[in-house]
Amino acid sequence: MNAPLSENMSESKLKTGSKSLRTPDVVIIGAGMSGILSAVRLHEAGIDSYTVYEKAASVGGTWRDNTYPGLSCDVPAHMYTYSFESNPDFSHRFAMGPEIRQYFERVAKEYDVLPKVKFNKELVSAKYVDNKWHMKTQDGDEVIADIVISACGVLHHPYTPGIEGLDTFAGTKFHTGRWDHGVDLAGKKVGIIGTGSTSVQVIPAIIDKVGHLSVFQRTPQWILPLAQKTYSDKSKERLRRNPKLAARIRNIYSWLFEKTFARAVVGAKLPQMLVGLASRHHLKSKVKDPALRAKLTPDYQPMCKRIIIGNGFYEAIQRPKANLITGDIERIEPTGVRTKDGVLHPLDVLILATGFKAHNFMRPMEMIGESGLTIDQAWEKGTQAHRSISLPGFPNFFMMIGPNSPIGNYSLISIAELQVNYILQLIDLWRDQTCDAIEPKPQATERFNEAIKGAMGGTVWVTGCQSWYLDKNGNPAMWPWTYERFTEDMSHPRLDEFNLRRNGCNSAEAEAASV
Ligand code: NAP
């Protein structure tokens, strides 16, 4: 532990006057980055009556589930940490996956979160009855809580494409999100479907080993080079001695990413142009063969799909043992992948780098809010939330990294920290007895989501590409404004946007707090 607890603490507390504070039973769903953070912040706010339910056997979320070769983070390591806990031990500017997992394990241990986690306990249902959430785990435990914080992450359910014949493949197949380390790729004919961020990390890491690599690309992607560097023992020691230096580095990177990527995606022309130039130059400088380069050149604007940042993909794909296949896949057969031109690409191993179901959030958990409203009904027309945090009809339920959070080429940790600060302020209203139930007003939620939709026109996500950013209606489930605006929005809840109820009615105090 290297820092005093939150500087946001005073911000997260609303004035409680002379009222006595009560302590809510809180359930946190998930022990990944945002679940650990929620636990640390609750403790810091004086709430230790929380339990974390984790479906797996250890903490770490996406950094536990993803173990594929080449796994790393394309956000600088010293920016990808909690503000209250730096990590002088990172070996590279862009950290490797196992180091990030270890970092979360260490924070969970040092901040005493681990004893509060119930492992191998997946919450499968939650129902709101009489101001309480009644939940069940997959093995039949019943859990009751005043407040639920969903910290399930975004990209955790691997997406398996419905390609004909996938189940008939006679070799070994697995998804990158569930890498099968029992399979030795040495000398094998390996196929990989997909050319997103994951594939671009996997391919350079396995190319030396495989006998032959067939890369099935449906859509080319823009790739920026990664300015990787190794940290020397001396520089690690410097950070160890001076945690303030780590904080400064975190701030500098955050400023840089905010001024470039975060602005480019919401319409700033100069950073868009710079990202475009750099990614085009990267492709041109690495791929000299015009025919191959044409195959690798996207026909959409850089950043429309999440821009990939990584090294080695262009080099790997030009190795004699690699083959970039751009023809559509017809079907999968026992011995390989057949493309629409009739060619069978024989394979021993098939790797699906086909991404995730990004719009599940806490589902498939069944959720029933007030008046029998189910989460599937609430999200029938697309996933949405009030300020990415809460939902009308689901009182005392809060989401970390919920719909329309500003995800993508920025540190999710910074975003989660802002969100938990906002959520704690809402929880304070329950604690100081201003209300027993708090939920956003439907009109406020609608207004917010209409504003979001209205602002999407200026973003890169609607400039003509398919991506996991888009929901089932083709609307980007993203934050269309600047990161600064998100910071501002998350600084304090606007209480006129919420219904606050006591004993089932809008109390005078609650009414007063709402105006
Ligand atoms: P992804 O970006 O969704 O890419 C999936 C790939 O699979 C795409 O190339 C897609 O083609 C292809 N695909 C899907 N269905 C297909 C089908 N039926 N036939 C052929 N191709 C198909 O998934 P990802 O690479 O796992 O990355 C997901 C996200 O994870 C990233 O955007 C990023 O946010 C995160 N991530 C981050 C890092 C990091 O360093 N921070 C690293 C890895 C991943 P189309 O493009 O044509 O749809």
Side-chain angles (χ1 to χ4, degrees), residues 173-242:
K173 70 170 189 301
F174 53 84
H175 190 279
T176 51
R178 303 288 180 271
W179 193 270
D180 186 344
H181 292 276
V183 178
D184 184 6
L185 299 180
K188 300 264 169 61
K189 292 191 287 293
V190 177
I192 184 161
I193 300 181
T195 47
S197 303
T198 301
S199 185
V200 165
Q201 291 185 340
V202 168
I203 288 170
I206 63 170
I207 188 70
D208 283 340
K209 207 168 198 193
V210 301
H212 185 269
L213 186 68
S214 301
V215 178
F216 297 90
Q217 171 191 275
R218 186 166 66 180
T219 314
Q221 297 238 45
W222 291 110
I223 306 174
L224 283 175
L226 186 83
Q228 184 59 298
K229 101 176 197 188
T230 310
Y231 289 126
S232 65
D233 288 343
K234 212 165 134 192
S235 73
K236 288 184 205 166
E237 184 51 35
R238 210 167 32 238
L239 283 180
R240 212 167 282 126
R241 278 202 314 268
N242 185 0

Coordinates of all heavy atoms in Angstrom, one line a residue, residues 173-242:
K173 N -10.2 -26.3 -31.2 CA -10.6 -24.9 -31.4 C -10.8 -24.3 -30.0 O -11.3 -25.0 -29.1 CB -11.7 -24.8 -32.3 CG -13.1 -25.3 -31.8 CD -14.2 -24.8 -32.7 CE -15.5 -25.1 -32.1 NZ -15.9 -26.5 -31.8
F174 N -10.5 -23.0 -29.9 CA -10.8 -22.3 -28.7 C -10.9 -20.8 -29.0 O -10.4 -20.3 -30.0 CB -9.8 -22.6 -27.6 CG -8.4 -22.4 -27.9 CD1 -7.8 -21.1 -27.9 CD2 -7.6 -23.5 -28.4 CE1 -6.4 -20.9 -28.3 CE2 -6.3 -23.3 -28.7 CZ -5.7 -22.0 -28.7
H175 N -11.5 -20.1 -28.0 CA -11.6 -18.6 -28.2 C -10.4 -18.0 -27.4 O -10.0 -18.5 -26.4 CB -12.9 -18.1 -27.5 CG -13.3 -16.7 -27.8 ND1 -12.7 -15.7 -27.1 CD2 -14.1 -16.1 -28.7 CE1 -13.2 -14.5 -27.5 NE2 -14.0 -14.8 -28.5
T176 N -9.9 -16.9 -27.9 CA -8.8 -16.2 -27.3 C -9.0 -15.9 -25.8 O -8.1 -15.9 -25.0 CB -8.4 -14.9 -28.0 OG1 -9.6 -14.1 -28.1 CG2 -7.8 -15.2 -29.4
G177 N -10.3 -15.6 -25.5 CA -10.7 -15.2 -24.1 C -10.6 -16.4 -23.2 O -10.8 -16.3 -22.0
R178 N -10.5 -17.6 -23.8 CA -10.4 -18.9 -22.9 C -9.2 -19.7 -23.5 O -9.4 -20.8 -23.9 CB -11.7 -19.7 -23.0 CG -12.9 -18.9 -22.5 CD -12.9 -18.7 -21.0 NE -14.1 -17.9 -20.6 CZ -14.2 -16.6 -20.5 NH1 -13.1 -15.8 -20.8 NH2 -15.3 -16.0 -20.1
W179 N -8.1 -19.1 -23.6 CA -6.9 -19.8 -24.3 C -6.6 -21.1 -23.7 O -6.6 -21.3 -22.5 CB -5.7 -18.9 -24.2 CG -4.6 -19.3 -25.1 CD1 -3.6 -20.2 -24.8 CD2 -4.4 -18.9 -26.4 NE1 -2.8 -20.4 -25.9 CE2 -3.3 -19.6 -26.9 CE3 -5.0 -18.0 -27.3 CZ2 -2.8 -19.4 -28.2 CZ3 -4.6 -17.8 -28.6 CH2 -3.4 -18.5 -29.0
D180 N -6.5 -22.1 -24.6 CA -6.2 -23.5 -24.1 C -4.7 -23.7 -24.1 O -4.1 -24.0 -25.1 CB -6.9 -24.5 -25.1 CG -6.8 -25.9 -24.6 OD1 -5.9 -26.2 -23.7 OD2 -7.6 -26.8 -25.0
H181 N -4.1 -23.6 -22.9 CA -2.6 -23.7 -22.8 C -2.2 -25.2 -22.9 O -1.0 -25.4 -22.9 CB -2.2 -23.1 -21.5 CG -2.3 -21.6 -21.5 ND1 -1.4 -20.7 -22.0 CD2 -3.3 -20.8 -21.1 CE1 -1.8 -19.5 -21.9 NE2 -3.0 -19.5 -21.3
G182 N -3.1 -26.1 -22.9 CA -2.8 -27.5 -23.1 C -2.4 -27.8 -24.6 O -2.0 -28.9 -24.9
V183 N -2.7 -26.9 -25.5 CA -2.5 -27.2 -26.9 C -1.1 -26.6 -27.3 O -0.9 -25.4 -27.1 CB -3.6 -26.5 -27.7 CG1 -3.4 -26.7 -29.2 CG2 -5.0 -27.0 -27.3
D184 N -0.3 -27.5 -27.8 CA 1.0 -27.1 -28.3 C 0.9 -26.7 -29.7 O 0.5 -27.5 -30.6 CB 2.0 -28.2 -28.1 CG 3.4 -27.8 -28.5 OD1 3.6 -26.6 -28.7 OD2 4.3 -28.7 -28.5
L185 N 1.2 -25.4 -30.0 CA 1.0 -24.9 -31.4 C 2.3 -25.2 -32.3 O 2.2 -25.0 -33.5 CB 0.8 -23.4 -31.4 CG -0.5 -22.9 -30.7 CD1 -0.6 -21.4 -30.8 CD2 -1.7 -23.6 -31.2
A186 N 3.3 -25.8 -31.7 CA 4.6 -26.0 -32.4 C 4.4 -26.8 -33.7 O 3.9 -27.9 -33.6 CB 5.6 -26.6 -31.5
G187 N 4.7 -26.2 -34.8 CA 4.7 -26.9 -36.1 C 3.3 -27.1 -36.6 O 3.1 -27.7 -37.7
K188 N 2.3 -26.6 -35.9 CA 0.9 -26.9 -36.4 C 0.4 -26.0 -37.4 O 0.9 -24.8 -37.5 CB -0.1 -26.8 -35.1 CG 0.3 -27.8 -34.0 CD -0.6 -29.0 -34.1 CE -0.1 -30.2 -33.2 NZ -0.2 -29.8 -31.8
K189 N -0.6 -26.4 -38.2 CA -1.3 -25.5 -39.1 C -2.4 -24.8 -38.3 O -3.4 -25.5 -37.8 CB -2.0 -26.3 -40.2 CG -0.9 -27.0 -41.2 CD -1.6 -27.5 -42.4 CE -2.4 -28.8 -42.2 NZ -1.6 -30.0 -41.8
V190 N -2.2 -23.5 -38.0 CA -3.1 -22.8 -37.1 C -3.9 -21.8 -37.9 O -3.3 -21.1 -38.8 CB -2.3 -22.1 -36.0 CG1 -3.2 -21.2 -35.1 CG2 -1.5 -23.1 -35.2
G191 N -5.2 -21.7 -37.6 CA -6.0 -20.6 -38.3 C -6.5 -19.7 -37.2 O -6.8 -20.1 -36.1
I192 N -6.6 -18.4 -37.5 CA -7.2 -17.5 -36.5 C -8.2 -16.6 -37.2 O -7.9 -16.0 -38.3 CB -6.0 -16.7 -35.8 CG1 -6.6 -15.7 -34.8 CG2 -5.2 -15.9 -36.8 CD1 -5.5 -15.3 -33.7
I193 N -9.4 -16.6 -36.7 CA -10.5 -15.8 -37.3 C -10.6 -14.5 -36.5 O -10.7 -14.5 -35.3 CB -11.8 -16.5 -37.2 CG1 -11.7 -17.8 -38.0 CG2 -12.9 -15.6 -37.8 CD1 -13.1 -18.6 -38.0
G194 N -10.5 -13.4 -37.2 CA -10.6 -12.1 -36.6 C -9.2 -11.3 -36.6 O -8.2 -12.0 -36.5
T195 N -9.3 -10.0 -36.8 CA -8.1 -9.2 -36.8 C -8.3 -7.9 -36.0 O -7.9 -6.8 -36.3 CB -7.7 -8.8 -38.3 OG1 -8.9 -8.3 -38.9 CG2 -7.2 -10.0 -39.1
G196 N -8.9 -8.1 -34.8 CA -9.1 -7.0 -33.9 C -7.8 -6.9 -33.0 O -6.8 -7.5 -33.2
S197 N -8.0 -6.1 -31.9 CA -6.9 -5.8 -31.0 C -6.3 -7.1 -30.4 O -5.0 -7.2 -30.3 CB -7.4 -5.0 -29.8 OG -7.9 -3.8 -30.2
T198 N -7.1 -8.1 -30.1 CA -6.6 -9.4 -29.6 C -5.7 -10.1 -30.6 O -4.6 -10.5 -30.3 CB -7.8 -10.2 -29.1 OG1 -8.6 -9.5 -28.2 CG2 -7.3 -11.5 -28.5
S199 N -6.3 -10.3 -31.8 CA -5.6 -11.0 -32.8 C -4.2 -10.4 -33.1 O -3.2 -11.1 -33.3 CB -6.4 -11.0 -34.1 OG -5.9 -11.8 -35.0
V200 N -4.2 -9.0 -33.1 CA -3.0 -8.3 -33.5 C -1.9 -8.5 -32.4 O -0.7 -8.4 -32.6 CB -3.3 -6.8 -33.7 CG1 -2.1 -6.0 -33.7 CG2 -4.0 -6.7 -35.1
Q201 N -2.4 -8.8 -31.2 CA -1.4 -9.2 -30.1 C -1.0 -10.6 -30.2 O 0.2 -11.0 -29.9 CB -2.0 -8.9 -28.7 CG -2.2 -7.4 -28.5 CD -2.6 -7.0 -27.0 OE1 -3.2 -7.9 -26.3 NE2 -2.5 -5.8 -26.6
V202 N -1.9 -11.5 -30.5 CA -1.7 -12.9 -30.5 C -0.7 -13.3 -31.7 O 0.3 -14.1 -31.5 CB -3.0 -13.8 -30.7 CG1 -2.7 -15.2 -31.0 CG2 -3.8 -13.7 -29.4
I203 N -1.0 -12.8 -32.9 CA -0.3 -13.2 -34.1 C 1.3 -13.1 -33.9 O 2.0 -14.1 -34.1 CB -0.8 -12.6 -35.3 CG1 -2.2 -13.2 -35.6 CG2 0.1 -12.7 -36.5 CD1 -3.1 -12.5 -36.6
P204 N 1.8 -11.9 -33.5 CA 3.3 -11.8 -33.4 C 3.8 -12.8 -32.3 O 4.9 -13.2 -32.4 CB 3.5 -10.4 -33.0 CG 2.3 -9.7 -33.4 CD 1.1 -10.6 -33.3
A205 N 3.0 -13.1 -31.4 CA 3.4 -13.9 -30.2 C 3.5 -15.4 -30.6 O 4.2 -16.2 -30.0 CB 2.6 -13.7 -29.0
I206 N 2.8 -15.8 -31.6 CA 2.7 -17.3 -32.0 C 3.4 -17.6 -33.3 O 3.6 -18.8 -33.6 CB 1.3 -17.9 -31.9 CG1 0.4 -17.2 -33.0 CG2 0.7 -17.7 -30.6 CD1 -1.0 -17.9 -33.2
I207 N 3.7 -16.6 -34.1 CA 4.2 -16.8 -35.4 C 5.4 -17.7 -35.5 O 5.6 -18.5 -36.4 CB 4.3 -15.5 -36.2 CG1 4.6 -15.8 -37.7 CG2 5.4 -14.6 -35.7 CD1 3.5 -16.3 -38.5
D208 N 6.4 -17.4 -34.5 CA 7.6 -18.2 -34.6 C 7.3 -19.7 -34.4 O 8.0 -20.6 -34.9 CB 8.6 -17.8 -33.5 CG 9.2 -16.5 -33.9 OD1 9.3 -16.2 -35.1 OD2 9.7 -15.7 -33.0
K209 N 6.4 -20.0 -33.6 CA 6.1 -21.4 -33.1 C 5.3 -22.2 -34.1 O 5.7 -23.4 -34.4 CB 5.3 -21.3 -31.8 CG 5.5 -22.4 -30.9 CD 4.9 -22.2 -29.6 CE 5.5 -23.1 -28.6 NZ 4.8 -23.1 -27.4
V210 N 4.3 -21.6 -34.7 CA 3.4 -22.4 -35.6 C 4.1 -22.9 -36.8 O 5.1 -22.3 -37.3 CB 2.2 -21.6 -36.0 CG1 1.4 -21.1 -34.8 CG2 2.5 -20.4 -36.9
G211 N 3.6 -23.9 -37.4 CA 4.1 -24.4 -38.7 C 3.6 -23.5 -39.8 O 4.4 -23.1 -40.7
H212 N 2.3 -23.2 -39.8 CA 1.7 -22.3 -40.8 C 0.6 -21.6 -40.1 O -0.1 -22.1 -39.3 CB 1.2 -23.1 -42.0 CG 0.6 -22.3 -43.1 ND1 -0.7 -21.9 -43.2 CD2 1.3 -21.7 -44.1 CE1 -0.8 -21.1 -44.2 NE2 0.4 -21.0 -44.8
L213 N 0.4 -20.3 -40.5 CA -0.7 -19.5 -39.9 C -1.6 -18.9 -41.0 O -1.2 -18.2 -41.9 CB -0.1 -18.3 -39.1 CG -1.1 -17.5 -38.3 CD1 -1.7 -18.3 -37.2 CD2 -0.5 -16.2 -37.7
S214 N -2.9 -19.3 -40.9 CA -3.9 -18.7 -41.8 C -4.7 -17.7 -41.0 O -5.3 -18.0 -40.0 CB -4.9 -19.8 -42.3 OG -4.2 -20.8 -43.0
V215 N -4.6 -16.4 -41.5 CA -5.4 -15.3 -40.8 C -6.6 -15.0 -41.6 O -6.5 -14.5 -42.7 CB -4.4 -14.1 -40.6 CG1 -5.2 -13.0 -39.9 CG2 -3.2 -14.5 -39.8
F216 N -7.8 -15.2 -41.0 CA -9.0 -14.9 -41.7 C -9.5 -13.5 -41.3 O -9.9 -13.2 -40.2 CB -10.1 -15.9 -41.4 CG -9.7 -17.3 -41.8 CD1 -9.0 -18.2 -41.0 CD2 -10.0 -17.7 -43.1 CE1 -8.6 -19.4 -41.4 CE2 -9.6 -19.0 -43.6 CZ -8.9 -19.8 -42.7
Q217 N -9.3 -12.6 -42.3 CA -9.7 -11.2 -42.0 C -11.0 -10.8 -42.7 O -11.0 -10.9 -43.9 CB -8.5 -10.3 -42.5 CG -8.9 -8.8 -42.5 CD -7.8 -7.9 -43.2 OE1 -6.8 -7.5 -42.7 NE2 -8.1 -7.6 -44.5
R218 N -12.0 -10.4 -42.0 CA -13.2 -10.0 -42.6 C -13.1 -8.5 -43.0 O -13.5 -8.1 -44.0 CB -14.4 -10.3 -41.7 CG -15.7 -10.0 -42.4 CD -16.9 -10.5 -41.6 NE -17.1 -9.9 -40.3 CZ -18.0 -10.3 -39.4 NH1 -18.9 -11.2 -39.7 NH2 -18.2 -9.7 -38.3
T219 N -12.6 -7.7 -42.0 CA -12.5 -6.3 -42.2 C -11.1 -5.8 -41.7 O -10.7 -6.2 -40.6 CB -13.5 -5.5 -41.3 OG1 -14.8 -6.1 -41.5 CG2 -13.6 -4.1 -41.7
P220 N -10.3 -5.1 -42.6 CA -9.0 -4.7 -42.1 C -9.2 -3.6 -41.0 O -10.2 -3.0 -40.9 CB -8.3 -4.0 -43.4 CG -9.4 -4.0 -44.4 CD -10.6 -4.7 -44.0
Q221 N -8.1 -3.4 -40.2 CA -8.2 -2.5 -39.1 C -7.0 -1.5 -39.2 O -5.9 -1.9 -39.6 CB -8.2 -3.2 -37.8 CG -9.3 -4.1 -37.6 CD -10.1 -3.8 -36.3 OE1 -10.4 -2.6 -36.0 NE2 -10.5 -4.8 -35.5
W222 N -7.2 -0.3 -38.7 CA -6.1 0.6 -38.6 C -5.3 0.3 -37.4 O -5.9 0.0 -36.3 CB -6.6 2.1 -38.5 CG -7.2 2.6 -39.7 CD1 -8.6 2.8 -40.0 CD2 -6.6 2.9 -41.0 NE1 -8.8 3.3 -41.2 CE2 -7.6 3.4 -41.9 CE3 -5.2 2.9 -41.4 CZ2 -7.2 3.8 -43.2 CZ3 -4.9 3.3 -42.7 CH2 -5.9 3.7 -43.6
I223 N -4.0 0.3 -37.5 CA -3.1 0.0 -36.4 C -2.0 1.0 -36.2 O -1.3 1.4 -37.1 CB -2.4 -1.4 -36.7 CG1 -3.4 -2.5 -37.0 CG2 -1.5 -1.8 -35.5 CD1 -2.7 -3.8 -37.5
L224 N -1.9 1.5 -35.0 CA -0.9 2.4 -34.6 C 0.3 1.6 -34.0 O 0.0 0.7 -33.3 CB -1.3 3.4 -33.6 CG -2.2 4.6 -34.0 CD1 -2.7 5.4 -32.8 CD2 -1.5 5.5 -35.0
P225 N 1.5 2.1 -34.2 CA 2.6 1.4 -33.6 C 2.6 1.7 -32.1 O 2.2 2.7 -31.7 CB 3.9 1.9 -34.3 CG 3.5 3.2 -34.8 CD 2.0 3.2 -35.1
L226 N 3.1 0.7 -31.3 CA 3.2 0.9 -29.9 C 4.6 1.3 -29.5 O 5.6 0.6 -29.8 CB 2.9 -0.5 -29.2 CG 2.7 -0.6 -27.7 CD1 1.3 -0.2 -27.3 CD2 2.9 -2.0 -27.3
A227 N 4.7 2.4 -28.8 CA 6.0 2.9 -28.4 C 6.5 2.2 -27.1 O 6.5 2.8 -26.0 CB 6.0 4.4 -28.1
Q228 N 6.8 0.9 -27.3 CA 7.1 0.1 -26.1 C 8.5 0.4 -25.6 O 9.4 0.8 -26.3 CB 7.0 -1.4 -26.5 CG 7.2 -2.4 -25.4 CD 6.2 -2.3 -24.3 OE1 6.2 -1.3 -23.6 NE2 5.4 -3.3 -24.0
K229 N 8.7 0.3 -24.3 CA 10.0 0.4 -23.7 C 10.1 -0.4 -22.4 O 9.1 -0.6 -21.8 CB 10.4 1.8 -23.6 CG 10.3 2.4 -22.2 CD 10.8 3.8 -22.2 CE 11.1 4.3 -20.8 NZ 11.5 5.7 -20.6
T230 N 11.3 -0.9 -22.1 CA 11.5 -1.7 -20.9 C 11.9 -0.7 -19.8 O 12.7 0.2 -20.1 CB 12.6 -2.7 -21.1 OG1 12.3 -3.4 -22.3 CG2 12.7 -3.7 -20.0
Y231 N 11.4 -0.9 -18.6 CA 11.9 -0.1 -17.5 C 13.0 -0.8 -16.8 O 13.0 -2.0 -16.5 CB 10.7 0.1 -16.5 CG 9.6 1.0 -17.0 CD1 8.3 0.6 -17.0 CD2 10.0 2.3 -17.4 CE1 7.3 1.5 -17.5 CE2 9.0 3.2 -17.9 CZ 7.7 2.8 -17.9 OH 6.7 3.6 -18.4
S232 N 14.1 -0.1 -16.6 CA 15.3 -0.6 -15.9 C 15.0 -0.8 -14.4 O 14.1 -0.1 -13.8 CB 16.5 0.3 -16.1 OG 16.2 1.6 -15.5
D233 N 15.9 -1.5 -13.8 CA 15.8 -1.7 -12.3 C 15.9 -0.3 -11.6 O 15.3 0.0 -10.6 CB 16.9 -2.6 -11.8 CG 16.5 -4.1 -12.2 OD1 15.3 -4.3 -12.6 OD2 17.4 -4.9 -12.2
K234 N 16.8 0.5 -12.2 CA 17.0 1.8 -11.6 C 15.8 2.7 -11.7 O 15.4 3.3 -10.7 CB 18.2 2.5 -12.4 CG 19.0 3.4 -11.6 CD 20.3 3.8 -12.4 CE 20.5 5.2 -12.3 NZ 21.5 5.7 -13.2
S235 N 15.1 2.6 -12.8 CA 13.9 3.5 -12.9 C 12.8 2.9 -12.0 O 12.0 3.7 -11.4 CB 13.4 3.7 -14.3 OG 12.8 2.5 -14.8
K236 N 12.7 1.6 -11.8 CA 11.7 1.0 -10.9 C 12.0 1.5 -9.5 O 11.1 1.8 -8.7 CB 11.8 -0.5 -11.0 CG 11.2 -1.1 -12.2 CD 11.2 -2.6 -12.2 CE 11.3 -3.2 -13.5 NZ 11.6 -4.6 -13.5
E237 N 13.3 1.5 -9.1 CA 13.7 1.9 -7.8 C 13.4 3.3 -7.5 O 12.9 3.7 -6.4 CB 15.3 1.6 -7.6 CG 15.8 1.9 -6.3 CD 15.1 1.2 -5.1 OE1 14.6 0.1 -5.4 OE2 14.9 1.8 -4.0
R238 N 13.6 4.2 -8.6 CA 13.2 5.6 -8.4 C 11.7 5.8 -8.1 O 11.4 6.5 -7.2 CB 13.6 6.3 -9.7 CG 14.0 7.7 -9.5 CD 14.6 8.5 -10.7 NE 14.2 8.1 -12.0 CZ 15.0 7.6 -12.9 NH1 16.2 7.5 -12.7 NH2 14.5 7.3 -14.1
L239 N 10.9 5.0 -8.8 CA 9.5 5.1 -8.5 C 9.1 4.5 -7.2 O 8.2 5.0 -6.5 CB 8.7 4.3 -9.6 CG 8.6 4.9 -11.0 CD1 7.8 4.0 -11.9 CD2 7.8 6.2 -10.9
R240 N 9.8 3.5 -6.8 CA 9.6 2.9 -5.5 C 9.8 3.9 -4.3 O 9.1 4.0 -3.4 CB 10.5 1.7 -5.3 CG 9.8 0.6 -4.5 CD 10.6 -0.7 -4.6 NE 10.3 -1.4 -5.8 CZ 11.2 -1.9 -6.7 NH1 12.5 -1.6 -6.5 NH2 10.8 -2.5 -7.8
R241 N 10.9 4.7 -4.5 CA 11.3 5.6 -3.5 C 10.4 6.9 -3.5 O 10.3 7.6 -2.6 CB 12.8 6.1 -3.8 CG 13.8 5.1 -3.2 CD 15.1 5.8 -3.0 NE 15.5 6.7 -4.1 CZ 16.3 6.3 -5.1 NH1 16.7 5.0 -5.1 NH2 16.6 7.1 -6.1
N242 N 9.8 7.1 -4.7 CA 9.0 8.3 -4.9 C 7.7 8.1 -5.5 O 7.5 8.3 -6.7 CB 9.9 9.3 -5.7 CG 9.3 10.7 -5.9 OD1 8.2 10.9 -5.3 ND2 9.9 11.5 -6.6

